[in-house]
């Protein structure tokens, strides 16, 4: 029975992937920006980071991809 749940989850994921295939590079670059921001927060953990700085950190890689792409 657990195999049926995994297979149905794979089908749902495949259908969702078909719909988001054009946005996938942006989503992956946003994830990279989030990772860079979390590393920066770990390095500077004693300093407070404002929400605008966090959003700016998230957008670094997508903007870089847009400029270089």
């Amino acid at each position: 029975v657990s195999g049926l749940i995994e297979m149905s989850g794979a089908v749902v994921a495949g259908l969702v992937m078909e719909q988001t295939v054009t946005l996938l590079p942006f989503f992956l670059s946003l994830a990279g920006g989030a990772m860079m921001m979390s590393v920066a927060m770990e390095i500077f953990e004693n300093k407070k980071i404002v929400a605008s700085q966090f959003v700016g950190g998230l957008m670094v890689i997508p903007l870089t991809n847009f400029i270089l792409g």
Side-chain angles (χ1 to χ4, degrees), residues 3-29:
L4 292 174
I5 293 172
E6 290 176 6
M7 188 169 67
S8 62
V11 168
V12 170
L15 292 174
V16 171
M17 187 64 72
E18 292 264 336
Q19 300 299 323
T20 61
V21 71
T22 56
L23 295 175
L24 189 60
F26 175 74
F27 289 150
L28 290 174
S29 63

Side-chain angles (χ1 to χ4, degrees), residues 41-63:
M41 288 175 71
E42 285 290 324
I43 291 173
F44 303 112
E45 68 183 42
N46 294 334
K47 295 183 180 180
K48 289 255 184 187
I49 295 180
V50 185
S52 61
Q53 292 173 328
F54 183 75
V55 171
L58 288 179
M59 294 304 295
V60 166
I61 292 181
L63 289 174

